[in-house]
């Protein structure tokens, strides 16, 4: 039996919200608003169709370290 999944990678406040880390560093986040709105509609449609939605996020270790064993 086939099973579909939608994998969403790194759509997190730090990368996509004006108050996130990237936005606080001065990056113009306005172009991402349309992407986020479109993604929200897409996710709703996928869920309505019974598609499993899986989120993959970038997580920093203590003290902001990004060199986790999984990443390396």
């Amino acid at each position: 039996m086939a099973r579909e999944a939608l994998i969403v990678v790194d759509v997190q406040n730090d990368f996509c919200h004006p108050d996130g880390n990237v936005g606080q560093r001065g990056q113009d986040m306005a172009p991402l608003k349309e992407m986020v709105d479109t993604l929200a509609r897409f996710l709703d449609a996928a869920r309505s169709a019974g598609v499993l939605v899986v989120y993959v996020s970038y997580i920093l270790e203590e003290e902001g370290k990004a060199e986790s064993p999984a990443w390396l």
Side-chain angles (χ1 to χ4, degrees):
M1 179 173 149
R3 176 90 192 206
E4 298 80 21
L6 172 61
I7 300 173
V8 181
V9 179
D10 280 346
V11 181
Q12 303 174 79
N13 284 339
D14 264 359
F15 303 119
C16 299
H17 192 280
D19 295 334
N21 187 294
V22 175
Q24 288 179 3
R25 288 187 278 149
Q27 180 73 32
D28 179 15
M29 305 303 287
L32 291 174
K33 180 168 180 5
E34 183 177 348
M35 180 280 299
V36 170
D37 293 344
T38 301
L39 179 60
R41 290 190 304 274
F42 184 58
L43 291 170
D44 287 344
R47 288 186 187 104
S48 293
V51 174
L52 174 68
V53 177
V54 178
Y55 293 90
V56 177
S57 59
Y58 182 77
I59 306 224
L60 297 176
E61 293 186 355
E62 292 180 28
E63 301 174 9
K65 294 179 183 175
E67 290 79 26
S68 73
W71 181 260
L72 295 173

